[in-house]
Amino acid sequence: MILPIIAYGDPVLRKMAKDITPEYPKLDELITNMWETMYNAHGVGLAAPQVGLPIRLFLVDTTPFSDDEDLSKEDQEALKGFKRVFINAKIEEEEGKEWDFNEGCLSIPDIREDVKRKPEITISYLDENFKPQRETYGGLLARVIQHEYDHIQGILFTDKLSSLKKRLLKSRLEKISKGKIAVDYKMRFPNIKKGR
Ligand code: NI
């Protein structure tokens, strides 16, 4: 089932998400629905707060991204076939010199901006079977994971922009929160006025 994606401005995107246990109700169904929702919107990652749940769960499938001919061979290789569920994730280390890349977000349609992030991360998490994992990722793959991880920390990529950029984007972000935007997937907007 395709779920509506929560748009910029909703408080659920600003919450520090909570850990879950294997007893979390209908978790398998939720994960299945999140995959479907992500693919339908042509995303490479989706976090639970983006479907309205402030829990520490996000999904990443970077395969569609790996065909991009502008990417380095290393990035293409790393992105191809990478599909994971991250539960109760914690980034333990972030290293290296920050680099810029143009990011977007399914909760913030039509806005893309360069965001600075460190190139290498070590992350511990539970997979969909609640088996503990600890891995180190680099390059674009690390960036996709950092972006999704930010969602479970209540952070959006627009928070990382300069104050000038933020001022320039303010009215466009307000329009998104009011649903004044054309988007080809199902969304829920926090500031649509109800009634008259
Ligand atoms: Ni996002």
Side-chain angles (χ1 to χ4, degrees):
M1 187 176 71
I2 293 169
L3 307 168
I5 294 178
I6 309 298
Y8 182 93
D10 193 299
V12 75
L13 297 176
R14 295 312 194 172
K15 286 190 179 147
M16 175 64 87
K18 296 266 197 296
D19 281 350
I20 57 169
T21 66
E23 287 74 43
Y24 189 83
K26 294 186 181 171
L27 183 59
D28 287 347
E29 191 182 319
L30 172 63
I31 291 171
T32 302
N33 290 343
M34 282 177 66
W35 283 126
E36 202 182 331
T37 302
M38 186 188 91
Y39 292 130
N40 176 65
H42 304 288
V44 293
L46 185 70
Q50 293 181 279
V51 294
L53 300 168
I55 57 172
R56 298 185 77 80
L57 162 65
F58 62 86
L59 321 174
V60 171
D61 182 351
T62 52
T63 302
F65 202 8
S66 67
D67 299 331
D68 191 330
E69 301 207 329
D70 295 333
L71 302 181
S72 70
K73 274 272 172 290
E74 283 104 327
D75 276 331
Q76 286 183 356
E77 286 296 311
L79 297 171
K80 199 171 178 181
F82 186 91
K83 180 174 174 177
R84 294 268 199 294
V85 175
F86 292 82
I87 294 171
N88 301 349
K90 187 161 197 314
I91 289 183
E92 294 181 358
E93 268 177 76
E94 282 187 298
E95 285 178 299
K97 191 172 176 292
E98 287 188 331
W99 63 296
D100 274 319
F101 188 83
N102 207 246
E103 293 188 21
C105 179
L106 294 177
S107 293
I108 315 176
D110 278 1
I111 293 184
R112 298 196 66 90
E113 293 291 342
D114 281 356
V115 177
K116 283 190 197 308
R117 296 188 190 273
K118 289 185 176 176
E120 202 179 281
I121 61 163
T122 299
I123 187 169
S124 57
Y125 64 98
L126 306 171
D127 63 21
E128 65 268 51
N129 302 311
F130 279 77
K131 199 170 160 236
Q133 308 286 343
R134 186 173 187 272
E135 281 165 313
T136 297
Y137 299 113
L140 263 182
L141 183 53
R143 179 174 290 267
V144 174
I145 295 167
Q146 285 163 315
H147 177 112
E148 297 312 321
Y149 183 81
D150 275 353
H151 276 299
I152 62 168
Q153 300 286 95
I155 297 167
L156 300 170
F157 81 87
T158 47
D159 301 345
K160 297 182 172 285
L161 305 175
S162 69
S163 48
L164 173 64
K165 272 270 164 60
K166 281 182 197 154
R167 276 205 300 281
L168 293 172
L169 285 177
K170 196 166 179 249
S171 66
R172 288 175 68 195
L173 290 170
E174 274 167 17
K175 275 190 183 157
I176 291 172
S177 76
K178 290 174 183 163
K180 292 179 179 170
I181 187 159
V183 58
D184 61 4
Y185 48 87
K186 195 158 67 163
M187 290 194 83
R188 199 177 84 202
F189 302 97
N191 296 335
I192 285 183
K193 286 204 182 75
K194 296 196 176 77
R196 286 166 169 263

